[in-house]
Amino acid sequence: MGTYLDDLWNDLEQTWDLAMKVNDLSEEERSDVTAAWTNVFKPSELVDASRTESEGEAPPQKVFCTNIYGLQYNTETKYWVPFRHGDIDLAKFTED
């Protein structure tokens, strides 16, 4: 794999690792969106807290990371799942 793809993959893995800090809890605990935000996500260096809070939802069910990924709470499954909020530069795949 090229460097760009490796970096994207590493960013996604970091985002998944952050999600698992909450997803590994019991359903009752991981369903507490306020506690997840306050105790796990907001203090994380990976999270862009100001952008997340600027979205206006309290507590946030969509958490933006400093990379191109974020986490969103799925109310049906009661799990936090990654989403992509940034662009992927397809031209960089050919540079590596």
Side-chain angles (χ1 to χ4, degrees):
M1 276 192 253
T3 304
Y4 182 69
L5 187 56
D6 287 342
D7 291 344
L8 289 174
W9 187 256
N10 288 334
D11 287 347
L12 182 57
E13 283 183 329
Q14 289 177 346
T15 305
W16 263 117
D17 289 344
L18 181 60
M20 293 312 295
K21 288 182 179 181
V22 176
N23 288 339
D24 282 342
L25 301 172
S26 69
E27 183 177 329
E28 182 180 336
E29 291 174 299
R30 73 175 178 264
S31 298
D32 187 345
V33 177
T34 300
W37 171 246
T38 305
N39 301 330
V40 178
F41 299 136
K42 188 174 183 178
S44 172
E45 291 182 13
L46 184 60
V47 171
D48 186 341
S50 61
R51 177 168 182 195
T52 300
E53 291 175 330
S54 74
E55 295 290 313
E57 190 174 19
Q61 292 193 18
K62 199 171 203 179
V63 175
F64 291 87
C65 292
T66 55
N67 57 35
I68 66 170
Y69 301 103
L71 297 169
Q72 184 169 3
Y73 183 68
N74 183 310
T75 55
E76 290 180 25
T77 64
K78 309 269 193 279
Y79 282 101
W80 290 86
V81 294
F83 70 93
R84 183 174 54 86
H85 63 82
D87 294 329
I88 292 178
D89 186 349
L90 296 177
K92 289 192 177 187
F93 284 104
T94 60
E95 292 176 4
D96 294 332

PDB file of all heavy atoms in Angstrom, residues 50 60 94:
ATOM      1  N   SER A  50     -14.506  21.415  19.384  1.00  0.00           N
ATOM      2  CA  SER A  50     -15.155  22.674  18.998  1.00  0.00           C
ATOM      3  C   SER A  50     -16.033  22.491  17.764  1.00  0.00           C
ATOM      4  O   SER A  50     -17.142  23.025  17.713  1.00  0.00           O
ATOM      5  CB  SER A  50     -14.131  23.781  18.781  1.00  0.00           C
ATOM      6  OG  SER A  50     -13.235  23.452  17.758  1.00  0.00           O
ATOM      7  N   PRO A  60     -23.936  15.635  21.662  1.00  0.00           N
ATOM      8  CA  PRO A  60     -23.726  15.297  20.248  1.00  0.00           C
ATOM      9  C   PRO A  60     -23.837  13.801  19.986  1.00  0.00           C
ATOM     10  O   PRO A  60     -23.288  12.992  20.716  1.00  0.00           O
ATOM     11  CB  PRO A  60     -22.311  15.791  19.956  1.00  0.00           C
ATOM     12  CG  PRO A  60     -21.678  16.051  21.257  1.00  0.00           C
ATOM     13  CD  PRO A  60     -22.742  16.161  22.284  1.00  0.00           C
ATOM     14  N   THR A  94      -2.168   7.466  -6.796  1.00  0.00           N
ATOM     15  CA  THR A  94      -1.225   7.178  -7.874  1.00  0.00           C
ATOM     16  C   THR A  94       0.164   7.752  -7.596  1.00  0.00           C
ATOM     17  O   THR A  94       1.116   7.440  -8.295  1.00  0.00           O
ATOM     18  CB  THR A  94      -1.735   7.750  -9.209  1.00  0.00           C
ATOM     19  OG1 THR A  94      -1.889   9.174  -9.084  1.00  0.00           O
ATOM     20  CG2 THR A  94      -3.061   7.114  -9.596  1.00  0.00           C
TER      21      THR A  94
END
